[in-house]
């Protein structure tokens, strides 16, 4: 996502080599648990474990499906068919630390029950470039491919559907409004990985967090009641703050997204919880003091308190990649992807244990209270559910642009391995260039009180500019400004929104401006990547800004109608 900057110079080299944090203190206290079972009559030696997942540090094994009736698993080991189809990387202790929230497991128990019955399941993965396999040397070593291979090995079935829908440089923005175009209604399990790309300093009431909650809510409202697994990657070099330039443990957004998982009862796993102390201690295969792929830009904190931009220290030439957890400061290497896959497998293994032991929530103790049944109201006040409308992204976005001058459909990274990583879009670099999009902004009867267009574009830290958005025919809207500049040392897809009137053919023009953005840069590049149309009541959709925006739009529309009546 980020690009190379100038090398380290002067005192910066020393700052890069010094430890970012002190080595953590480890308590030597031990807890000894002694369990004594006193019974009358026969001793029941096959008592089921009430709580998985047991140890993954065991031999690999592949059994054919369907398997004979399985005995209840003992606490000391997993059934052979639930062992990983590769030598495990994380220890039992690390796996349990990394499973930060399981909750009731209701929806995941349903998936486990389906697998145990020998039925196929549909699994979809949503996320950014890490979900797309970024950092792995070959696709099958990415965490998504590994997780899918575990499911197929444990519960083989020719009709399993396992789809990776990753979009490089994406946040929950691009999925929330266009969810129906990414994930089918009959999906069984969806994995979410967004911690690396979501803005760290965004408050709960921000558009970013509202979009993430909307993504969760729309998935939970699918008729098939799919299970969701929330996965948190931890990019050590992307976690500065409070006096350190990397490795801040409580760097957001992981904590905020986990709070949403608590609210919506979503199992959650975290590589930070599992392996942070190993990273800080410089343990082999978890090292983060350097990276094998040189050139990733980073802002270093010097002893005098100032900051200077350089590049993350690289490992010496011809050094094996294996000791390092991250390959470029953001993306995990092969072992990092393996650790993420093992963490994802944990909640599913536990759900299978509970289903076999009779401890799943659909048979275990559960309060039959109708007042708390169903989907709860939004956690973020006023985060109203909107009605999805038109959506076009990736290949589907190209024909939406009907007329251009100075814009070309190009790849941001043409040498990348596939379409998703190449980041295609309509791009212009000269002021005065324009592109016209044609949209159907109508809504079904009763679908929301207002229509909003979301335009996705690239934001970066160098070479970017601004553009003016206006409605030129068939519809009306207030002019809006697209700003592709920011200080964050990353290149991500972002979105701007503006209300429009409803019509069958709404022509929207995007014109590159001479004016600089909020963070002036040398260049005027504007890149458009997707567009969405949503229908909602802005007056009840959250913040005061939304209400003021709606009031201003309606006030201007009334004035325009009055002027038209006077002319008539």
């Amino acid at each position: 996502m980020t690009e190379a900057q100038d090398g380290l110079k002067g005192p910066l080299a020393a700052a890069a080599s010094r430890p970012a944090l002190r080595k953590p203190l480890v308590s030597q206290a031990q807890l000894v648990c002694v369990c004594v079972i006193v019974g009358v009559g026969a001793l029941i030696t096959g008592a089921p474990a009430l709580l998985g997942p047991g140890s993954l540090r065991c031999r690999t094994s592949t059994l054919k499906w369907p398997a004979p009736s399985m005995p209840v698993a003992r606490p000391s080991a997993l059934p052979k068919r639930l062992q990983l189809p590769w030598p495990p990387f994380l220890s039992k202790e690390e796996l349990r630390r990394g499973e930060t929230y399981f909750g009731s497991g209701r929806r995941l128990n349903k998936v486990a029950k389906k697998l145990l019955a020998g039925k196929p399941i549909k699994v979809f993965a949503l996320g950014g470039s890490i979900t797309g396999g970024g950092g792995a040397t070959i696709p099958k070593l990415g965490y998504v491919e590994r997780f899918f291979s575990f499911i197929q090995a444990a519960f083989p079935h020719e009709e399993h559907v396992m789809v990776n829908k990753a979009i490089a440089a994406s946040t929950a923005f691009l999925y929330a409004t266009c969810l129906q175009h990414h994930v089918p209604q009959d999906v069984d399990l969806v994995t979410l990985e967004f911690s690396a790309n979501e803005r760290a300093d965004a408050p709960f009431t921000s558009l970013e967090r509202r979009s993430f909650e909307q993504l969760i809510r729309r998935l939970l409202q699918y008729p098939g009641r799919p299970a969701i697994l929330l996965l948190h990657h931890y990019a050590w070099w992307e976690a500065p703050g409070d006096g350190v330039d990397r490795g801040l443990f409580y760097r957001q957004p992981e904590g905020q997204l986990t709070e949403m998982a608590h609210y919506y009862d979503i199992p959650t796993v975290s590589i930070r919880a599992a392996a942070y102390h190993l990273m800080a201690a410089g343990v082999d295969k978890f090292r983060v003091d350097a990276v094998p792929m040189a050139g990733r830009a980073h802002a270093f904190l010097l002893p005098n308190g100032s900051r200077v931009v350089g590049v993350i220290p690289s490992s010496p030439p011809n050094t094996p990649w294996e000791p390092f957890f991250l390959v470029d400061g953001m993306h995990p290497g092969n072992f990092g992807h393996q650790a993420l896959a093992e963490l994802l497998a944990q909640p599913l293994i536990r759900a299978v244990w509970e289903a076999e032991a009779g401890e799943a929530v659909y048979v275990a103790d559960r309060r039959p209270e109708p007042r708390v049944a169903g989907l709860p109201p939004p956690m973020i006040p006023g985060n109203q559910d909107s009605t999805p409308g038109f959506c076009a992204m990736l290949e589907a976005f190209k024909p939406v642009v009907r007329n251009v001058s100075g814009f070309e459909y190009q790849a941001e990274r043409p040498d990348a391995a596939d379409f998703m990583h190449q980041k295609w879009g309509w791009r212009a670099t000269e002021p005065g260039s324009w592109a016209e999009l044609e949209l159907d902004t109508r809504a079904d009867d009763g679908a929301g009180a207002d229509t909003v267009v979301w335009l996705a574009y690239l934001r970066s830290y160098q070479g970017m500019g601004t553009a003016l958005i206006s409605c030129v025919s068939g519809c009306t809207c207030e002019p809006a400004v697209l700003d592709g500049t920011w200080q964050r040392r990353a290149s991500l897809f972002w979105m701007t929104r503006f209300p429009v009137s409803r019509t069958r053919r709404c022509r929207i023009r995007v014109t590159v401006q001479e004016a600089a953005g909020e963070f002036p840069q040398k260049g005027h590049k504007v890149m458009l990547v997707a567009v969405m149309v949503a229908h909602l009541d802005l007056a009840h959709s959250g913040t005061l800004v939304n209400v003021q925006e709606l009031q201003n739009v309606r006030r201007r529309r009334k004035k325009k109608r009055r002027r038209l009546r006077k002319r008539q």
Side-chain angles (χ1 to χ4, degrees), residues 63-67 81 114-119 152-157:
L63 298 182
K64 294 182 179 180
W65 180 264
R81 63 176 169 78
K114 193 171 182 178
L115 289 170
L116 289 168
K119 298 179 181 180
Q152 189 64 268
F155 301 95
H157 201 293

Side-chain angles (χ1 to χ4, degrees), residues 171-463:
T171 63
F173 270 146
L174 293 183
Y175 292 98
T177 304
C178 291
L179 185 60
Q180 72 275 17
H181 296 275
H182 295 287
V183 182
Q185 294 279 313
D186 60 348
V187 66
D188 295 290
L189 174 62
V190 181
T191 67
L192 304 179
E193 175 272 312
F194 290 103
S195 297
N197 286 349
E198 290 289 329
R199 187 161 62 95
D201 59 351
F204 272 115
T205 55
S206 67
L207 185 59
E208 292 91 331
R209 298 297 181 264
R210 290 177 181 276
S211 295
F212 190 86
E213 184 180 24
Q214 281 299 311
L215 174 59
I216 290 176
R217 291 182 63 82
R218 285 170 186 155
L219 283 171
L220 293 177
Q221 292 179 82
Y222 268 24
R225 297 179 59 79
I228 301 175
L229 286 178
L230 182 57
L231 171 66
H232 294 305
H233 174 58
Y234 182 68
W236 179 275
W237 287 92
E238 299 294 323
D242 290 352
V244 296
D245 55 24
R246 75 204 85 151
L248 182 67
F249 182 83
Y250 52 87
R251 176 75 167 179
Q252 296 293 0
E254 180 169 332
Q256 291 176 317
L257 304 189
T258 300
E259 287 188 48
M260 291 192 196
H262 293 172
Y263 186 83
Y264 288 104
D265 194 21
I266 296 173
T268 305
V269 293
S270 164
I271 195 64
R272 182 183 72 181
Y276 177 88
H277 297 298
L278 299 173
M279 295 177 182
V283 175
D284 272 357
K285 299 182 181 179
F286 294 93
R287 286 179 57 187
V288 290
D289 57 310
V291 296
M293 297 177 64
R296 189 176 181 89
H298 185 73
F300 290 87
L301 181 65
L302 299 182
N304 62 5
S306 62
R307 290 184 180 272
V308 61
V309 175
V311 294
I312 298 173
S314 58
S315 57
N318 302 321
T319 301
W321 287 28
E322 285 75 11
F324 301 98
F325 191 83
L326 304 172
V327 299
D328 61 358
M330 165 69 79
H331 298 90
N334 290 340
F335 281 122
H337 275 281
Q338 182 176 339
L340 295 175
E342 291 178 10
L343 285 172
L344 269 183
Q346 278 298 99
L348 184 57
I349 291 172
R350 176 172 172 177
V352 172
W353 274 63
E354 290 186 348
E356 291 186 318
E359 287 297 321
V361 294
Y362 53 80
V363 294
D365 183 27
R366 182 179 168 195
R367 187 184 304 277
E369 176 52 69
R371 289 175 294 182
V372 295
L375 186 69
M379 188 191 84
I380 302 173
N383 195 15
Q384 180 203 17
D385 297 330
S386 62
T387 303
F390 175 78
C391 176
M393 58 195 314
L394 301 177
E395 298 95 330
F397 179 63
K398 182 179 179 180
V400 173
V401 177
R402 297 300 181 88
N403 199 9
V404 298
S405 175
F407 272 84
E408 293 183 11
Y409 191 69
Q410 297 178 331
E412 184 71 6
R413 294 183 176 177
D415 297 331
D418 53 45
F419 189 93
M420 186 271 291
H421 287 94
Q422 289 167 3
K423 300 182 181 179
W424 285 81
W426 287 96
R427 183 172 66 176
T429 58
E430 297 296 330
S433 301
W434 54 266
E436 286 186 358
L437 295 71
E438 186 171 286
L439 305 171
D440 185 344
T441 58
R442 295 173 299 177
D444 296 333
D445 292 341
D450 300 279
T451 297
V452 177
V453 171
W454 300 78
L455 186 59
Y457 59 99
L458 185 69
R459 293 191 75 178
S460 191
Y461 51 92
Q462 59 181 3

Side-chain angles (χ1 to χ4, degrees), residues 455-474:
L455 186 59
Y457 59 99
L458 185 69
R459 293 191 75 178
S460 191
Y461 51 92
Q462 59 181 3
M464 306 304 293
T466 64
L468 178 67
I469 303 171
S470 58
C471 292
V472 293
S473 68

